[in-house]
């Protein structure tokens, strides 16, 4: 076995634990329990900007969205108090804040003009960023969501929970004011699901079983 080489660079970025990090538009963003999101130049490791939070932060996401005939570059942060913060990455200013979860936001997934947030209050919430409002709340029953994925082609939301279950919901449709189907639940794990990538084989097995039974 070969030992891993020492890291090329080490830099203390936050005063508390770093909870999440993403790369957006060629820059590294980190968030921490110190309530800050920091933007770092990957090449030079220099601090570019600081995004002020509202209490400690737990997760990050990013996306580019066409809004009012211009493209908006956004960074999202989920807080321990349940706040969803939306920043303009060009100005580092918070342009939206939403309060919906009753406990910490653990994961975020954006798609087009919507964002889904999973919270320690055992709910997934669907947000419309064009209208700046919450659209719908999904209940995950016993487990807090740890990871989310949006399957736009199938119009489905997939949720991996801390209790080892995985849920699949149809997207909430505003025109119908109700999901176009019912949630399906899988429970093939003994411990919490941390990443949806870990359960691809379970989805394949489930899909085959559904096909076999018509």
């Amino acid at each position: 076995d070969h030992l891993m080489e020492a890291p090329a660079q080490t830099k203390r970025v936050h005063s508390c634990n770093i909870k999440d990090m993403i790369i957006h538009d060629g820059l590294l963003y980190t968030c921490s329990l110190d309530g800050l999101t920091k933007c770092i130049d990957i090449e030079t490791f220099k601090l570019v900007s600081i995004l002020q939070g509202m209490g400690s932060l737990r997760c990050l996401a990013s996306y580019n969205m066409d809004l009012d005939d211009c493209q908006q570059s956004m960074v999202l942060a989920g807080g321990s108090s349940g706040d969803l913060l939306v920043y303009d990455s060009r100005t580092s200013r918070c342009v939206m804040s939403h309060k919906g979860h009753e406990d910490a936001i653990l994961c975020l997934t954006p798609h087009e003009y919507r964002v889904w947030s999973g919270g320690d209050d055992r709910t997934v919430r669907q947000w419309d960023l064009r209208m700046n409002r919450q659209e719908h709340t999904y209940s995950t029953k016993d487990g807090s969501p740890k990871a989310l994925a949006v399957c736009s082609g199938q119009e489905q939301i997939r949720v991996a929970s801390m209790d080892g279950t995985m849920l699949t919901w149809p997207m909430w449709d505003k025109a119908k004011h109700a999901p176009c189907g019912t949630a399906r639940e899988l429970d093939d794990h003994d411990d919490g699901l941390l990443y949806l990538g870990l359960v691809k084989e379970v989805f394949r097995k489930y899909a085959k079983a559904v096909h076999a039974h018509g």
Side-chain angles (χ1 to χ4, degrees):
D1 294 338
H2 296 283
L3 295 176
M4 294 293 292
E5 295 181 1
Q9 295 186 65
T10 301
K11 183 179 180 66
R12 177 167 291 280
V13 180
H14 294 272
S15 60
C16 296
N17 292 345
I18 295 176
K19 301 301 291 184
D20 199 4
M21 64 181 182
I22 58 171
I23 294 177
H24 178 62
D25 289 343
L27 297 169
L28 176 67
Y29 289 84
T30 61
C31 74
S32 169
L33 297 179
D34 61 11
L36 302 175
T37 297
K38 296 191 177 183
C39 176
I40 301 164
D41 187 300
I42 298 175
E43 297 296 329
T44 65
F45 242 48
K46 291 183 178 179
L47 181 66
V48 176
S49 62
I50 298 176
L51 287 61
Q52 297 288 339
M54 297 170 59
S56 59
L57 301 175
R58 302 291 293 273
C59 58
L60 293 173
S62 66
Y63 71 111
N64 294 315
M65 178 179 70
D66 291 325
L67 187 65
D68 297 330
D69 296 326
C70 64
Q71 190 174 71
Q72 303 288 324
S73 178
M74 303 292 190
V75 172
L76 312 173
S80 294
S81 58
D83 295 296
L84 171 60
L85 307 176
V86 183
Y87 297 90
D88 185 333
S89 65
R90 296 167 299 180
T91 64
S92 301
R93 295 183 59 185
C94 182
V95 295
M96 299 181 199
S97 63
H98 301 281
K99 178 68 175 180
H101 290 278
E102 298 176 2
D103 210 330
I105 295 178
L106 303 177
C107 50
L108 294 166
T109 295
H111 178 68
E112 295 180 348
Y113 60 90
R114 288 191 173 107
V115 175
W116 287 263
S117 58
D120 222 1
D121 58 359
R122 299 177 181 178
T123 67
V124 172
R125 296 174 189 257
Q126 179 175 311
W127 308 87
D128 184 331
L129 296 187
R130 295 182 306 179
M131 304 302 294
N132 195 22
R133 68 186 181 191
Q134 179 180 310
E135 285 189 315
H136 191 63
T137 301
Y138 309 80
S139 174
T140 62
K141 299 180 181 178
D142 298 325
S144 296
K146 188 59 180 178
L148 298 168
V150 176
C151 303
S152 57
Q154 299 175 339
E155 296 188 343
Q156 292 180 339
I157 311 299
R158 292 177 179 174
V159 182
S161 298
M162 293 292 286
D163 64 351
T165 60
M166 181 172 56
L167 295 170
T168 300
W169 276 292
M171 285 186 187
W172 184 82
D173 189 336
K174 181 180 178 181
K176 299 178 181 178
H177 294 286
C180 55
T182 57
R184 298 174 179 177
E185 181 174 338
L186 303 177
D187 191 2
D188 278 19
H189 292 263
D190 296 327
D191 204 351
L193 302 180
L194 299 183
Y195 302 99
L196 284 176
L198 299 176
V199 292
K200 288 182 179 179
E201 292 302 321
V202 180
F203 269 121
R204 293 192 185 100
K205 181 176 68 175
Y206 178 73
K208 290 180 180 178
V210 172
H211 180 73
H213 288 84

